[in-house]
Amino acid sequence: MLDAMKFRGTVKNVLVAVIASFLTVFSTHAQTQTPVAKGPAEFRDVTAAAGIKFVHNNGAYGKKYLPETLGPGVAFIDYDNDGWPDIFLVNGTDWPGHATKRSTPKLYHNNHDGTFTDVTHKAGPRRGNVRARRDRGRL
């Protein structure tokens, strides 16, 4: 149990670093001058302030299978062709016979001001893991 809690903390830290890097790079999108670093880099958890509410489900239940050790996937895409990168977060699923919660991927629309809106249900990827649907004959 302790290993699973450590792993979740590590995944959150990696996700925070990825999103912070993304926001740093694209917040300068409208600037004309390159900012000059004045000291060491500082990372802050801005996920809640940016509107990102995502909990990764790795399906862990103690067997330590390979997928249980992997973090979520992320893609920065412009899904609506507005010229601003949006965020797509890929989620895992519970192992068969060990279902505890429903997990879905998340799609966040870039509001052009450093915040994002969850448009998962509007865009459609809400039925969970594609592989799980295929394995049950639904795809």
Side-chain angles (χ1 to χ4, degrees), residues 29-80:
H29 186 272
Q31 294 180 358
T32 57
Q33 296 179 345
T34 304
V36 178
K38 298 191 189 297
E42 180 182 322
F43 291 97
R44 290 178 283 135
D45 184 351
V46 297
T47 51
I52 306 292
K53 295 176 185 95
F54 177 77
V55 177
H56 173 58
N57 177 14
N58 66 359
Y61 69 95
K63 293 291 187 179
K64 300 209 180 355
Y65 292 125
L66 180 62
E68 293 178 4
T69 65
L70 302 174
V74 63
F76 300 105
I77 59 170
D78 183 10
Y79 92 98
D80 58 354

Side-chain angles (χ1 to χ4, degrees), residues 80-96:
D80 58 354
N81 293 318
D82 66 355
W84 289 80
D86 305 299
I87 300 175
F88 180 69
L89 296 164
V90 180
N91 211 341
T93 190
D94 291 322
W95 286 96

Side-chain angles (χ1 to χ4, degrees), residues 122-135:
K122 178 181 172 187
R126 62 185 171 271
R127 293 197 56 210
N129 187 301
V130 171
R131 180 177 174 200
R133 289 199 318 264
R134 184 191 70 224
D135 290 347

Side-chain angles (χ1 to χ4, degrees), residues 6-22 43-45 47 54 56 69-74 76 89:
K6 283 183 187 176
F7 179 74
R8 286 187 185 115
T10 302
V11 168
K12 182 178 180 186
N13 291 341
V14 169
L15 189 57
V16 165
V18 168
I19 291 173
S21 298
F22 170 80
F43 291 97
R44 290 178 283 135
D45 184 351
T47 51
F54 177 77
H56 173 58
T69 65
L70 302 174
V74 63
F76 300 105
L89 296 164

Side-chain angles (χ1 to χ4, degrees), residues 109-121:
H109 175 261
N110 188 330
N111 296 326
H112 313 173
D113 62 1
T115 65
F116 294 83
T117 301
D118 184 350
V119 293
T120 305
H121 293 291

